[in-house]
Amino acid sequence: MRFSLLIIKAETREGDISEEELPPFRELFDAYAASLQEVGALIAADIFRPAAESTTVTLRGGSREVRDGPYIDAVESLSGCFVIDVPNRATALDWAEKCPAALYGVVEVRPAALAFHDGRWRGES
């Protein structure tokens, strides 16, 4: 089953984290991603740039509307995502618990309803 481990945390502002504090977290995330990859569970992983750098696009009445900034202006935002393929929800929860982001934010475990692979959409059976 595919799950997205959605990393939700307070937006980090310039100066919130010193350069000295970053390497230990990078090492934790490196080890986490490597362990997911080692067992064949990792499909994809992304850590996002700040929400302020995002752009939203809508199509209404045949016209594209583009707006700078996030869809929702919130204190906490989606800051990253690990897509994994594991046997069941319990295993996904175990991986979420091991995610370094759980130390300072929230890891939301969201099952996939459909996934596009091998040229078509497939549901979990």
Side-chain angles (χ1 to χ4, degrees), residues 48-67:
F48 304 141
R49 296 198 49 84
E53 294 183 35
S54 64
T55 304
T56 59
V57 178
T58 57
L59 186 62
R60 301 291 185 270
S63 295
R64 180 177 81 169
E65 187 175 315
V66 178
R67 291 191 179 160

Side-chain angles (χ1 to χ4, degrees), residues 5-62:
L5 306 181
L6 306 171
I7 299 169
I8 301 162
K9 67 172 194 67
E11 278 289 317
T12 305
R13 296 180 315 254
E14 186 84 26
D16 281 352
I17 301 173
S18 70
E19 285 299 316
E20 295 80 33
E21 293 174 292
L22 288 176
F25 279 105
R26 287 186 181 130
E27 290 171 13
L28 288 172
F29 274 98
D30 287 349
Y32 179 69
S35 63
L36 280 166
Q37 191 167 36
E38 186 176 302
V39 299
L42 184 63
I43 302 298
D46 291 302
I47 301 299
F48 304 141
R49 296 198 49 84
E53 294 183 35
S54 64
T55 304
T56 59
V57 178
T58 57
L59 186 62
R60 301 291 185 270

Side-chain angles (χ1 to χ4, degrees), residues 50-114:
E53 294 183 35
S54 64
T55 304
T56 59
V57 178
T58 57
L59 186 62
R60 301 291 185 270
S63 295
R64 180 177 81 169
E65 187 175 315
V66 178
R67 291 191 179 160
D68 290 335
Y71 176 67
I72 297 173
D73 190 20
V75 174
E76 293 184 328
S77 67
L78 182 62
S79 65
C81 178
F82 286 85
V83 179
I84 62 173
D85 191 353
V86 294
N88 52 47
R89 180 178 180 269
T91 305
L93 293 174
D94 289 342
W95 280 109
E97 178 183 359
K98 295 172 188 171
C99 181
L103 297 169
Y104 58 82
V106 174
V107 180
E108 180 179 325
V109 178
R110 179 90 54 101
L114 298 170

